[in-house]
Amino acid sequence: MWIRSGPIRYAAAAVTALALAGSGTACAVIPTSGSPIPAKEESNSDPLNAPYVRMIAAPPKAGAQPLDIVAGFRAAMASVEDPDWKIAKQYLTGDALTEWNPESGVTVFDAARPKEESDGGGVTMTFRGTVAATIDGEGRYQDLTLTGADRDVTFALKKVGEEWRISAAPPGLLLSSSDIKRAYEAFDLYYPDVSGRWLVADHVAIPIDPSESQVETLVRWLLRGPGQSLRGAVGNVLPEGARLIRVAADGDSVILDFTSAMAVIGDRSDQLRAVCAQLAWTLGQVVPGQSIQIQVNGEPLPGDGRSIKSQNYPEFNPAVLTGEQPAYFMRGGVLHRIDHDADDPVVEGVAGQKTMGFSSPAISGTDRMAKVAALGDDGAVYVSSMTEDSRWDKWMGGTKGSTLTPPSWDRYGAVWAAENIAGELRVWTAYGAAPQRVLIPADIAEANVEALRVARDGARVAMIVDNGHGPEVRTGPIIRDEGNPRIGELRTLVEAKENQRILDVAWKDGQHVVVLSDSLKGGRVYTVYSVTDGRSEEPKSAAHVSTISAAGDSLLAGGDDSGDGGDGGEVLSWDAKKSQWVTEAKDGASTPVYPLG
């Protein structure tokens, strides 16, 4: 059976578990009596009509048994050809139809054949399986494979006339992992930060809409604005009321034709440039190498809107740090720079001199005007420039009897730290010697925080939090839409486990953190986690390591001396090719950092 698919389907640049699998010849999946049958799809070289994987919903067959009814219902839930679930609803009784809300979210559930029980003329079917993930209405995919436990999912059925129908169904959509691979794709949506100068990535799982291209889908999601997980942490420069009319191809260009509301950005150069960068970085995942043109009611938008490519907007790069990065560490209260062409150089200015016992440095950037923040031996946070005539200034003074966490810079030039005092948590930010109190979620108001790290893009924070049940890593947005920043809802990324300690956390990039912990099996490991969907990489050995810092694929660690005559501390770098740690500095070296780490 040969089936031609709908409109354009470009392949995503980054392949994830949610991306469509394969290329060239694709499969359609057609359920008959609730049992999907694969069929080949015709390959088509037309970029506006490329093939994709399909799941075609089929209505219930006359005389179908309960198992087939449930299987057909589940297959219909996964159909991208029936976005309003009209066919899926045919499997439900009137009462169940009233209660079932397919838009309440997705549960990714994999189970074996169900247990069937009869009850007073009805039938109950119970599936035993594991919840692998959830997806909310804003596309936030939450991986639960590390914490998920087996659970039961139950369908109740009864006869309506002579036919079996579902009288009670689980809430929302119940899809298998295979359904997710067919019906959803993962993308990064890019939004300007609140200043409109940089881009922040929001990783989302988007349901396939066969009636439109991936370009159309991504633009329409951008027009919706950021989801709750980043709302207030990023801006929305696309004009309110703008709508996409059509997408067209013109040689190597993709034309985006908008309604009249888009015309206002033609006279606002900064907003136009931010919109162009946002579109270029987002659509570059599906039309790499092609330029983008903005039109309004069929007429080209002047200026930047005529030819948009991501390389035209390097200052918006969401990676923040690109290329090889400088790295620093402390030894004896003095700030050193890692430089393989020099003999253990110290930085210029007061930070490179022995004054008081400074520790735990943080660096504000990569240019010559960058500042260093560090903890003094009195527990306060001090800041200085790395220039010849610099001095240490106290920006945060810890309350008597309290402890401040090591400082962390955001890209706006502010230092952050948390303070634990008499059962109360306080979070501070400072642009100078007048720190501001940061509002925090109520559920951590009395927690102990051992580390607070601001992401390089300034949009999120990662914290090691202990509410009395052991340390765990939580992440959440930094809301900046009302002047003073505040920390939004925090989600648990790494849960506390018995006999496990979480030692440190560092941002790898805007969407991933590196977590250093004691392994339950003994020894220390570091693990990379996605803060947007909870996925993690395989843990890697981190013996002797006590602190960690990351910048993209580069990784530094401070650790205990290996016992060969040093003075109790060393700095290590991770050699990914050899999967081992390499010594960069010894003899009391500690707490290495990359800028904005």
Side-chain angles (χ1 to χ4, degrees):
M1 183 174 187
W2 297 90
I3 301 174
R4 184 181 295 275
S5 71
I8 181 172
R9 306 237 51 94
Y10 294 101
V15 179
T16 73
L18 293 176
L20 286 176
S23 60
T25 302
C27 285
V29 182
I30 305 172
T32 59
S33 300
S35 300
I37 297 177
K40 288 186 178 179
E41 250 183 11
E42 182 180 358
S43 179
N44 192 314
S45 60
D46 180 1
L48 294 178
N49 193 28
Y52 62 97
V53 179
R54 308 172 73 183
M55 172 76 85
I56 300 177
K61 285 183 171 290
Q65 295 303 299
L67 181 59
D68 288 330
I69 292 295
V70 174
F73 177 59
R74 291 198 63 184
M77 282 194 285
S79 174
V80 300
E81 304 288 333
D82 185 23
D84 295 324
W85 300 283
K86 293 179 181 178
I87 294 177
K89 292 174 182 177
Q90 295 179 31
Y91 288 85
L92 303 175
T93 66
D95 290 342
L97 185 59
T98 301
E99 295 178 1
W100 184 61
N101 178 14
E103 296 181 350
S104 64
V106 176
T107 300
V108 185
F109 181 76
D110 294 302
R113 188 178 180 88
K115 178 181 179 182
E116 183 175 331
E117 296 179 320
S118 297
D119 181 16
V123 170
T124 299
M125 305 195 71
T126 302
F127 293 79
R128 184 75 171 170
T130 301
V131 175
T134 58
I135 306 174
D136 67 14
E138 295 181 338
R140 290 192 299 176
Y141 183 96
Q142 182 64 34
D143 186 273
L144 300 175
T145 53
L146 294 178
T147 58
D150 286 349
R151 56 171 281 192
D152 291 335
V153 170
T154 301
F155 293 83
L157 297 94
K158 67 179 182 180
K159 279 196 171 183
V160 177
E162 297 298 319
E163 302 297 337
W164 286 103
R165 292 294 182 264
I166 297 170
S167 57
L173 297 177
L174 189 69
L175 305 181
S176 69
S177 298
S178 297
D179 293 333
I180 295 298
K181 291 178 182 179
R182 282 189 295 267
Y184 283 76
E185 292 180 278
F187 293 103
D188 287 329
L189 301 179
Y190 290 94
Y191 297 97
D193 75 313
V194 291
S195 72
R197 292 179 290 169
W198 303 296
L199 290 179
V200 174
D202 188 17
H203 194 68
V204 295
I206 299 178
I208 294 169
D209 185 344
S211 68
E212 62 183 18
S213 70
Q214 286 181 321
V215 171
E216 290 175 277
T217 297
L218 290 177
V219 173
R220 293 191 197 283
W221 273 66
L222 286 176
L223 288 168
R224 291 168 51 172
Q228 185 63 40
S229 63
L230 276 180
R231 196 169 298 145
V234 296
N236 188 15
V237 290
L238 287 164
E240 185 176 355
R243 296 291 180 268
L244 183 65
I245 300 172
R246 68 186 179 99
V247 173
D250 182 12
D252 290 333
S253 295
V254 175
I255 297 172
L256 306 178
D257 192 11
F258 292 91
T259 56
S260 299
M262 183 62 77
V264 298
I265 68 172
D267 298 324
R268 303 171 183 174
S269 58
D270 289 345
Q271 184 180 6
L272 173 59
R273 191 162 178 82
V275 167
C276 291
Q278 179 181 22
L279 292 171
W281 283 93
T282 299
L283 299 184
Q285 299 167 95
V286 294
V287 285
Q290 294 186 258
S291 65
I292 299 161
Q293 296 182 31
I294 297 177
Q295 293 186 356
V296 177
N297 294 324
E299 296 295 324
L301 194 69
D304 282 0
R306 291 182 179 271
S307 182
I308 303 169
K309 289 187 176 182
S310 59
Q311 57 263 38
N312 297 338
Y313 310 94
E315 73 274 23
F316 284 89
N317 192 330
V320 182
L321 299 180
T322 58
E324 187 173 349
Q325 298 304 316
Y328 304 83
F329 66 92
M330 281 290 192
R331 179 189 286 129
V334 175
L335 186 65
H336 294 246
R337 186 176 66 252
I338 296 178
D339 187 343
H340 296 117
D341 297 325
D343 184 18
D344 198 16
V346 297
V347 302
E348 287 191 35
V350 68
Q353 302 168 12
K354 179 67 174 178
T355 52
M356 72 165 70
F358 287 104
S359 63
S360 302
I363 312 299
S364 68
T366 59
D367 60 27
R368 61 181 302 271
M369 301 304 293
K371 293 182 172 63
V372 55
L375 285 178
D377 56 14
D378 60 352
V381 172
Y382 291 81
V383 174
S384 77
S385 64
M386 290 185 283
T387 56
E388 185 176 355
D389 57 349
S390 61
R391 68 178 189 182
W392 286 110
D393 293 316
K394 183 187 290 189
W395 280 26
M396 294 182 193
T399 306
K400 184 177 180 180
S402 71
T403 57
L404 283 169
T405 59
S408 178
W409 288 98
D410 68 22
R411 70 188 309 177
Y412 302 97
V415 170
W416 291 65
E419 181 182 29
N420 303 287
I421 174 171
E424 179 187 6
L425 172 63
R426 299 176 184 178
V427 174
W428 301 94
T429 185
Y431 293 90
Q436 295 176 272
R437 183 95 175 257
V438 177
L439 293 177
I440 60 176
D443 62 343
I444 63 167
E446 298 179 0
N448 183 71
V449 169
E450 299 173 13
L452 181 154
R453 307 291 187 197
V454 178
R456 289 188 175 87
D457 60 20
R460 296 180 175 95
V461 65
M463 305 169 72
I464 301 178
V465 177
D466 190 341
N467 260 322
H469 307 291
E472 55 189 27
V473 177
R474 296 192 188 184
T475 62
I478 298 174
I479 310 300
R480 301 178 186 269
D481 59 350
E482 297 177 356
N484 295 335
R486 59 186 174 88
I487 295 175
E489 177 188 359
L490 293 170
R491 301 172 68 186
T492 299
L493 182 67
V494 183
E495 291 186 345
K497 296 181 179 178
E498 187 177 359
N499 299 322
Q500 181 185 34
R501 290 187 304 156
I502 297 174
L503 304 173
D504 202 5
V505 61
W507 286 94
K508 183 176 184 286
D509 52 42
Q511 299 190 70
H512 299 84
V513 294
V514 183
V515 177
L516 176 68
S517 63
D518 277 327
S519 170
L520 294 174
K521 297 180 180 179
R524 293 178 180 176
V525 296
Y526 78 85
T527 309
V528 176
Y529 292 88
S530 166
V531 301
T532 52
D533 61 26
R535 297 178 187 274
S536 64
E537 299 178 4
E538 285 294 320
K540 294 183 175 64
S541 174
H544 309 297
V545 170
S546 55
T547 68
I548 205 153
S549 182
D553 293 329
S554 300
L555 198 65
L556 286 172
D560 304 325
D561 192 87
S562 56
D564 55 357
D567 291 333
E570 60 182 348
V571 169
L572 309 165
S573 64
W574 179 256
D575 187 328
K577 292 182 179 179
K578 297 180 180 179
S579 294
Q580 64 183 32
W581 293 98
V582 176
T583 299
E584 297 285 352
K586 301 170 66 173
D587 302 328
S590 66
T591 55
V593 291
Y594 289 107
L596 291 169

